[in-house]
Amino acid sequence: MVLGFDLGASRKAAKQLRTAGDKARDRSDWDEAAEQYRQYLKIENDDFAIWVQLGHALKEQKKYDLAESAYERARDLKPDDADIHLQLGHLLKLTGRNSEAVEAYGKSYAIEPTFAAEMEMKSLGGVDEDIFLNAVSSQFKSKDVVYIELDDMLIYLEAHSTVSGIQRVQAEFARFVVDKGGLVSGTQFVFVINPPYQDCVWKLQPELVHDVVKYATGTKVDHEYLKRLIASVRSSAVRIEPSAGQCYLVLGAFWVFNTVSGRFLHLKRLGLRIGGYIHDLIPINQPEYCDEGLCHEFLLSFGDSMQVFDFILTNSHHTANEVIAYRKRLGLEPMPVEAVQLAHANKVTHDGADVWTPKIKGLKGKKFAMMVSTIEARKNHKYLVDAWRQFYNEGLEPPELVFVGRFGWRVHDLMNTLKQSRNFDGKLHILHGLTDGELNKLYKECSFTVFPSYVEGWGLPVGEGLAHGKPCVSSLTSAMPEIGGDFVDYVDPWNLREGIEVFRKMCFDEEYREARRLNIEKNFVIRTWSNFAENLAETTIRHHGAKINERVSQANFQPGIVFRPNELSFGKKLPTDYAVNPVRLLLSASWGAVEHWGSWMLGDRGEIEFKSPYKAGDEVVVYLEFFGAPFVGEDGYLTVVVGEGKMEMPVAGTHKYMKIPGDKSFVVKTSGKVGENGIVNVNVFVDGEVRLETDQPGARRFSVGIKAVAYSLKQDAISRSDIAEELVSGIVQV
């Protein structure tokens, strides 16, 4: 009995020590954490997790030798744990032992090919990149798999502490999928990130994704802590290669990485069905409301996606009709386009978060109308400012105005107006960075909501206000009537005179405003985010299973034409019908973003592919103008092979090689045969040592860039002569 009592007391003491260590760690008291963990490990010497935590605490104190010993003890306990080798790699890199760090990262990667280990090895260099190409973790073999891309949401939340618009869609769908255990109607939904120019995707841990979503949509958000959660999501992501017959859904801003081909073509050519969720076509149809750079890249990416996507889902019937009309206007063949309308909001509850926090307490006891959106020209905040100014000029006292949102694009005139009026002597309030809890409190307390935007793909704030039971005055344009129906009072965003009268009634006729509120309370049916997510999942599954004609994912490229990638760079005027023949797809998935001079090949292999008017077996001559990087190695050699499909590095002696001239343009002429369906495939390889751009971690590793592409039938001497004349650099035969 005494022995049992002592053992129990010892375990109780150990538990107290571990708890004390964890609490000290959470408040970043590393010295105290390390001491508590040490005492704990005297009792429980084989606790792997606490040896790791002790290593972390010692590393934070810069006691690197002791930290290394703690990590090594953990490694000895679990030699097949990928994370402990990763942590050892971090410590070794921190102490300048880079070659040992690479070895540790390599061991971690061999156990589980995580994003963190691969990025660390690439940043330190000196690694044969074939190990990345050949390292694929266990993957999903069933065709009943849909990959959900979350790059956009994670990148956004690294810069902002709360979700907004497009990111809200991804967050709420992710929440739904996790709640369903990843399985909807027999189909597995898998979260991934898909960085540009890679031949794989990275599977995210669903429970970590859920932690990010739950925290970012919570009542209190510390952005530094949120970024640590996101870092954990990224670092634990595992490399996988999707399989033919599976589906890939792009929910976010597909245009933000400067290339559709660099992110989706490799998936398309693996045999996946790709769907895109389109939020609006504003950068194409109303470019005056968007940044010039956004319009440029959106037109390119949307044009590319018209060839790459197999089906398109949209957030509203309005957006669906715009996509259909766009394709019809350009004479493109019909493709599946279907609206999956967004939510109004989740069912509203006011619990412990129903408080006046310091950010919003200045509105306590006041009557106010609220507009929630980024403050930018398209949202038309000035319309409200001018209407309220009219009321003040008449000696009236309308509810105060509250703008919730960060400042965006083209708001200089608005800001100047507000400055001159001193925000209507403090009666106009601008708030940003509110948590969901703070925003819900303001929705609860406001008199009504306003949303006079010129154009929207959907217009989330209209539905959110209705879900909170509040009357709304919104624009009668684009998708807004789909959200509000008869429950909203509408204005013409270009007609201020009539709009003032609508606002006058809502501001000053309390009986009318109450009648509108009661109508919402009795009759409005909220479409929740769960309703939306379930609809989106089922619609995606249906399109995935439908028999859709094979979509060509190559650009049509006519012989005798010289294509220069820099013609698509920012600052150049793009053809409005670019989607008819999206020539950027020539660059396949192995070339960087288009720059003012051309495009860099990434790594030691590249591919150019296009559809020709010729039949299989016809012989063509291909001309490529390259640019040798200034830092290419002395023994860097290039070869180009046409017409053999995608291939690995050729065996020495089977193809001709040429030395790459550094910091210089040169033209390569080579020949080969057209493949099936008129496809011409050009493989580009670099052999030998290729130097990094600098000796700093993360430096780019590339050797050649492409400046021009042209081709012709071998027997068409006139066309070949014209091409050669246009490409003025010396031509090298390979």
Side-chain angles (χ1 to χ4, degrees), residues 476-707:
L476 186 65
T477 62
S478 54
M480 269 95 62
E482 287 186 50
I483 310 169
D486 295 334
F487 297 97
V488 169
D489 290 32
Y490 294 102
V491 297
D492 180 345
W494 291 278
N495 190 327
L496 179 61
R497 184 179 298 276
E498 290 183 6
I500 285 174
E501 297 312 309
V502 175
F503 284 121
R504 187 186 302 278
K505 195 168 187 179
M506 190 65 75
C507 285
F508 304 111
D509 190 335
E510 293 189 13
E511 185 176 334
Y512 174 77
R513 190 169 67 240
E514 178 63 12
R516 295 297 278 161
R517 188 194 67 78
L518 288 173
N519 181 44
I520 295 167
E521 182 181 289
K522 293 177 180 178
N523 301 308
F524 181 70
V525 178
I526 299 174
R527 183 168 55 258
T528 66
W529 281 109
S530 182
N531 298 147
F532 156 75
E534 186 169 12
N535 188 6
L536 178 62
E538 296 293 348
T539 304
T540 300
I541 292 169
R542 174 161 45 80
H543 280 285
H544 177 206
K547 291 184 178 179
I548 300 174
N549 292 333
E550 179 94 16
R551 297 189 58 76
V552 176
S553 58
Q554 290 90 8
N556 290 304
F557 187 34
Q558 293 303 306
I561 303 297
V562 177
F563 166 57
R564 299 182 184 277
N566 71 338
E567 293 170 352
L568 302 178
S569 64
F570 179 63
K572 298 293 181 69
K573 184 175 177 58
L574 300 176
T576 56
D577 63 348
Y578 172 78
V580 173
N581 187 28
V583 289
R584 189 167 62 163
L585 294 181
L586 267 74
L587 299 184
S588 191
S590 46
W591 303 83
V594 171
E595 302 180 34
H596 69 279
W597 62 271
S599 177
W600 288 112
M601 188 175 86
L602 304 174
D604 59 5
R605 64 194 70 195
E607 184 183 23
I608 294 170
E609 187 172 272
F610 54 87
K611 185 174 176 59
S612 76
Y614 302 130
K615 63 181 183 295
D618 286 347
E619 192 161 5
V620 293
V621 177
V622 178
Y623 299 80
L624 302 131
E625 183 177 7
F626 291 108
F627 180 75
F631 40 84
V632 68
E634 290 297 325
D635 56 349
Y637 288 84
L638 175 80
T639 191
V640 181
V641 185
V642 176
E644 299 190 23
K646 186 167 184 176
M647 58 180 288
E648 297 303 316
M649 183 75 76
V651 178
T654 60
H655 292 280
K656 295 181 180 178
Y657 285 74
M658 63 165 291
K659 187 178 182 305
I660 301 172
D663 202 15
K664 187 180 295 184
S665 294
F666 60 101
V667 177
V668 168
K669 182 182 81 170
T670 190
S671 60
K673 292 181 179 180
V674 176
E676 294 182 5
N677 301 314
I679 301 301
V680 176
N681 189 281
V682 183
N683 291 278
V684 182
F685 300 97
V686 172
D687 191 23
E689 180 65 25
V690 178
R691 295 173 184 166
L692 295 173
E693 181 180 18
T694 71
D695 59 0
Q696 298 301 310
R700 297 182 294 180
R701 181 182 182 272
F702 47 60
S703 51
V704 294
I706 188 73
K707 297 182 69 175

Side-chain angles (χ1 to χ4, degrees), residues 416-460:
N416 188 57
T417 297
L418 297 179
K419 181 179 179 181
Q420 293 300 321
S421 70
R422 299 184 299 282
N423 285 11
F424 292 140
D425 292 325
K427 295 177 182 178
L428 189 152
H429 311 264
I430 299 176
L431 306 172
H432 62 87
L434 301 187
T435 66
D436 279 14
E438 291 168 326
L439 187 57
N440 284 338
K441 178 63 174 174
L442 294 187
Y443 271 125
K444 179 185 178 182
E445 300 295 336
C446 72
S447 298
F448 60 96
T449 67
V450 289
F451 199 68
S453 177
Y454 287 110
V455 60
E456 294 289 325
W458 177 248
L460 279 173

Side-chain angles (χ1 to χ4, degrees), residues 313-421:
L313 306 179
T314 67
N315 59 353
S316 66
H317 293 292
H318 165 74
T319 303
N321 291 335
E322 287 207 319
V323 172
I324 293 169
Y326 178 80
R327 291 184 61 85
K328 185 176 181 180
R329 185 166 68 247
L330 296 182
L332 301 174
E333 293 182 1
M335 70 179 297
V337 179
E338 183 174 349
V340 179
Q341 291 178 302
L342 290 183
H344 296 112
N346 287 323
K347 290 181 180 177
V348 178
T349 59
H350 294 283
D351 47 26
D354 184 20
V355 296
W356 291 102
T357 65
K359 274 191 176 181
I360 63 175
K361 67 180 181 181
L363 294 169
K364 186 176 182 179
K366 295 182 178 180
K367 291 183 178 181
F368 60 92
M370 181 168 70
M371 180 171 179
V372 179
S373 79
T374 302
I375 302 172
E376 62 184 24
R378 175 169 62 89
K379 303 294 185 176
N380 204 16
H381 290 74
K382 192 173 185 302
Y383 190 91
L384 298 174
V385 171
D386 290 342
W388 257 246
R389 182 195 289 114
Q390 177 64 32
F391 296 146
Y392 288 131
N393 289 342
E394 293 176 15
L396 300 173
E397 286 295 326
E400 296 187 11
L401 265 178
V402 176
F403 293 162
V404 179
R406 59 186 174 82
F407 281 103
W409 187 65
R410 287 188 178 176
V411 291
H412 177 76
D413 289 345
L414 173 65
M415 294 174 68
N416 188 57
T417 297
L418 297 179
K419 181 179 179 181
Q420 293 300 321
S421 70

Side-chain angles (χ1 to χ4, degrees), residues 99 115 168 224 301 317 432 606:
S99 60
F115 186 81
R168 171 73 66 179
E224 290 304 313
S301 294
H317 293 292
H432 62 87

